[in-house]
Amino acid sequence: MMNILEVEDVTVGYGKKMILEDFNMTIPKSTITSIVGPNGCGKTTLLHTLARVLKPKYGAVSIGGEDIFSLDTKDVAKRLSLLPQSSAAPAGLNVHSLVSYGRYPHKSAFGGLNSEDAENIDWAMEVTGIRDLAERSLDEISGGQAQRVWLAMALAQNTGIILLDEPTTYLDMKFQMEILNLLKDLNDTAEKTIVMVLHDINHASRFSDGIIAVKDGEVISTGSAEEVMTGSILSEVFDITPVMGRCPFTDRPIITSYRLRS
Amino acid sequence: MAYIMTLIISFLLLAAAITLSLITGSVELSLHDAVNAFIAFDPSDNGHIIIREVRAPRAAAAAIAGAAFAVAGGVTQAVTRNPLAEPGIIGLNAGALFFLTIAFIFMPGLPFTYLILISFAGALFSALIVLTVSFFGRARMSPLKLILAGVAVTLFFGSLSTAFQLYFNIGQDIAFWFAGAIQTIGWAHLSVIIPWFLFGIAVSLLLSPVLTAISFDEQTAVSLGVSVNKTRLSALIAVVMLAGLGVSIIGAAAFIGLIVPHMARFLSGGDYRRILPLSGVLGAVLTVCSDLAARTLAAPVELPAGALIALIGVPFFLYLARRVVRYEV
């Protein structure tokens, strides 16, 4: 299986403070990978490094075997999209125009939307369930609706790789499941590679081919849900004592409840 | 479609404002004179000469300065992601003022065209300092760094200018120059300014799609494939050109750069491809009207156009802010 994304000996951080040091990771093509770990462990830093938002101090990030920083950033944007944890838009932009900015990397500066653009935008708005909001302004809709709008923008980019930073935050339980099903579906039918930071570890277990558990900038464990989702590993990563069970739908390991480690 | 209509109406307003300022003044002229001055010029007709050599360049200068400030303001707001930004925020006005102060002290009696160039050079100089400071070190060109450096440079040059003006007692000359630059402007001066203007406007309009993308948060802009720093730098170069020439024509009326983009945003939505062209036309309308009012309201005394712009603009701006600002900043 080919590795579509590779992180090699990467040291990265903000200013003088390094968050990840000599970090290594590979993401196989057409898989769903979840990054889990406690607050401040470097998950978002890792995702931003993969998305070339942060430039590593040392080491290399490659996409399809090529150094991501040597490629034209617009070409990278045709292959990789990112849904950040929170996003901000210029005031007054309506939902449809915002989603259509997902087509930005595919167009020349003043080219209008062609039929391929229109199809991608329509599709992205359809699957995220925001069709009815098209003419609304971002400041007129709820946080959960806004989250789906941003997801639609990332999907309209129609890239082979989609990176998502806590895509289910702000969403109610139904929409959480809809979004995760949608991502699974995109992975199954369109062979998209999906890398996401997930807070809900049971969702990670249920939807991922691979899980990377990170703590203090180090990979504690990486592998399938069966390999990573064990009581002892979770106890170490999250500093809790979990009670493990099985997901009734997928038979994968889940945490049924937990208490603080005494 | 609604946008195209708005743009057409704004252009018609501009044409009306310019026509009105061609025929209004101490010598009242007719529409007929205004048309003939251009299509059937008669060098022995004083009215034709007033229109061609005095009022037309003045109206053109007002339109150019207004459009330049307004477009520069829109670009500045996009680049700094700050709805309260205007071109003065990167130190332009203070730099222009400082250079003029120096010129008035050491080279009194310098011809007008040189003064325009000097004020332009001052704007460039201070903007260059701000850009350099914000370009190096951590968080390159971050909006916050730009604003902080801009405020610091503004205070620095502002206090130097004040001190020099007090010491050399030239405060009045400076004030007179700022109020008077537009009164004596002619085609010769405009021919110096127009190429810069066209260049600045062209760069801004070419950048407009990227400006919308860059005014998303940083991560989103990068993941859409925007070269954030490159865009900021070219956008700020355009701002320096436009606001620099604006300052040299009507002084520190950068207030246009704050309010007009908001009017345009209200009328056209949040996309800079729409905001910028509309800002340009509306900025021109506002400034031509203000300049017309400035020279007619208290004739033969001329009021400072900048003050009138604020007088007309502020109530309107407050009305807009109350009515339409639903978005949280």
Side-chain angles (χ1 to χ4, degrees):
Chain A
M1 200 163 12
M2 182 198 163
N3 289 324
I4 190 80
L5 284 171
E6 276 181 278
V7 171
E8 260 180 285
D9 300 326
V10 158
T11 297
V12 64
Y14 309 89
K16 288 209 170 76
K17 184 170 166 50
M18 291 301 130
I19 307 291
L20 306 175
E21 288 184 66
D22 296 324
F23 197 93
N24 286 283
M25 183 180 83
T26 52
I27 304 287
K29 194 170 188 294
S30 308
T31 57
I32 298 181
T33 307
S34 293
I35 304 168
V36 300
N39 293 335
C41 71
K43 303 180 297 254
T44 296
T45 304
L46 178 56
L47 208 64
H48 284 178
T49 309
L50 284 173
R52 81 197 172 299
V53 171
L54 277 177
K55 192 169 182 169
K57 198 161 182 188
Y58 309 107
V61 179
S62 52
I63 175 170
E66 290 173 280
D67 179 9
I68 201 165
F69 288 98
S70 70
L71 296 170
D72 183 71
T73 180
K74 219 166 171 174
D75 288 334
V76 177
K78 291 177 189 162
R79 297 158 68 177
L80 177 150
S81 59
L82 167 71
L83 176 71
Q85 212 170 87
S86 66
S87 309
L93 211 58
N94 74 27
V95 165
H96 185 271
S97 339
L98 205 148
V99 175
S100 56
Y101 261 89
R103 300 304 297 165
Y104 177 85
H106 300 273
K107 299 187 305 174
S108 62
F110 278 89
L113 297 174
N114 60 27
S115 59
E116 193 193 340
D117 295 326
E119 273 169 34
N120 275 291
I121 295 164
D122 282 349
W123 167 81
M125 293 183 69
E126 179 69 41
V127 295
T128 50
I130 55 164
R131 266 252 165 95
D132 299 340
L133 305 176
E135 297 304 319
R136 302 274 283 281
S137 159
L138 207 58
D139 41 57
E140 298 170 329
I141 61 179
S142 76
Q145 289 172 324
Q147 178 75 354
R148 285 184 280 144
V149 171
W150 290 109
L151 178 63
M153 179 168 152
L155 293 181
Q157 215 170 320
N158 195 9
T159 54
I161 308 168
I162 307 173
L163 310 179
L164 310 99
D165 198 349
E166 298 189 15
T168 52
T169 319
Y170 307 119
L171 299 180
D172 60 36
M173 286 199 281
K174 171 171 167 257
F175 276 121
Q176 290 189 20
M177 208 39 71
E178 283 190 2
I179 296 292
L180 290 166
N181 280 333
L182 170 63
L183 294 173
K184 180 92 189 119
D185 205 37
L186 286 173
N187 170 253
D188 283 341
T189 57
E191 300 194 339
K192 306 260 187 199
T193 307
I194 290 165
V195 183
M196 54 188 165
V197 170
L198 277 185
H199 244 316
D200 189 323
I201 188 138
N202 289 345
H203 283 162
S205 170
R206 192 165 152 189
F207 287 94
S208 315
D209 302 306
I211 298 179
I212 300 174
V214 183
K215 186 185 188 183
D216 296 333
E218 309 268 346
V219 177
I220 303 295
S221 171
T222 174
S224 68
E226 292 294 340
E227 290 162 317
V228 179
M229 291 280 288
T230 67
S232 62
I233 291 173
L234 295 179
S235 170
E236 182 189 350
V237 172
F238 290 98
D239 220 8
I240 53 163
T241 304
V243 181
M244 304 304 295
R246 288 278 163 186
C247 167
F249 305 112
T250 59
D251 201 38
R252 290 193 179 177
I254 54 170
I255 293 184
T256 53
S257 193
Y258 67 94
R259 56 185 165 78
L260 293 177
R261 207 149 67 156
S262 42
Chain B
M1 271 307 99
Y3 174 71
I4 300 290
M5 279 311 291
T6 315
L7 203 57
I8 290 173
I9 292 171
S10 312
F11 266 114
L12 291 177
L13 278 176
L14 179 60
I18 288 178
T19 312
L20 199 62
S21 62
L22 288 182
I23 61 176
T24 315
S26 52
V27 183
E28 293 289 337
L29 297 165
S30 67
L31 204 56
H32 188 250
D33 292 321
V35 176
N36 276 343
F38 293 98
I39 60 166
F41 179 57
D42 176 2
S44 65
D45 186 328
N46 269 339
H48 286 192
I49 291 175
I50 289 176
I51 287 175
R52 277 180 70 123
E53 298 305 321
V54 182
R55 291 185 191 165
R58 181 165 180 167
I64 285 174
F69 270 134
V71 171
V75 175
T76 313
Q77 288 170 8
V79 169
T80 58
R81 295 198 189 100
N82 182 345
L84 288 178
E86 40 92 5
I89 211 165
I90 52 173
L92 294 162
N93 303 336
L97 180 64
F98 179 66
F99 269 43
L100 279 175
T101 306
I102 298 292
F104 273 95
I105 294 167
F106 296 104
M107 298 169 279
L110 213 58
F112 180 83
T113 312
Y114 286 95
L115 287 175
I116 285 196
L117 289 177
I118 283 172
S119 107
F120 198 16
L124 280 175
F125 181 70
S126 56
L128 205 67
I129 295 180
V130 172
L131 290 186
T132 313
V133 168
S134 56
F135 196 74
F136 291 102
R138 280 187 217 165
R140 272 185 162 198
M141 308 273 301
S142 84
L144 183 61
K145 232 168 133 182
L146 267 178
I147 290 172
L148 290 179
V151 169
V153 165
T154 300
L155 285 174
F156 180 72
F157 282 136
S159 21
L160 272 185
S161 304
T162 309
F164 283 9
Q165 286 169 21
L166 287 174
Y167 187 77
F168 292 97
N169 200 19
I170 52 163
Q172 264 199 325
D173 301 347
I174 296 272
F176 182 76
W177 191 83
F178 261 119
I182 198 172
Q183 292 173 21
T184 48
I185 204 156
W187 291 116
H189 311 134
L190 283 178
S191 65
V192 176
I193 287 167
I194 285 174
W196 293 92
F197 174 71
L198 293 178
F199 183 80
I201 293 286
V203 172
S204 305
L205 293 183
L206 282 175
L207 283 175
S208 60
V210 198
L211 286 177
T212 310
I214 205 181
S215 56
F216 294 124
D217 59 287
E218 188 108 3
Q219 294 96 316
T220 307
V222 173
S223 69
L224 287 176
V226 177
S227 317
V228 176
N229 286 343
K230 224 191 280 175
T231 307
R232 280 196 192 130
L233 194 62
S234 17
L236 287 169
I237 289 170
V239 168
V240 171
M241 307 217 141
L242 292 173
L245 71 90
V247 173
S248 75
I249 298 174
I250 50 170
F255 188 66
I256 303 165
L258 172 63
I259 57 167
V260 174
H262 283 287
M263 294 180 194
R265 195 170 283 129
F266 168 58
L267 291 168
S268 70
D271 196 316
Y272 282 93
R273 279 175 298 194
R274 292 177 164 206
I275 293 174
L276 291 188
L278 191 58
S279 293
V281 186
L282 290 177
V285 174
L286 179 65
T287 314
V288 171
C289 290
S290 304
D291 181 56
L292 177 62
R295 66 187 171 84
T296 52
L297 279 185
V301 177
E302 285 223 10
L303 306 168
L308 275 177
I309 291 166
L311 218 57
I312 300 172
V314 170
F316 183 65
F317 186 58
L318 290 177
Y319 167 79
L320 270 190
R322 194 179 65 84
R323 279 289 306 273
V324 301
V325 179
R326 296 177 304 247
Y327 44 91
E328 289 191 26
V329 172

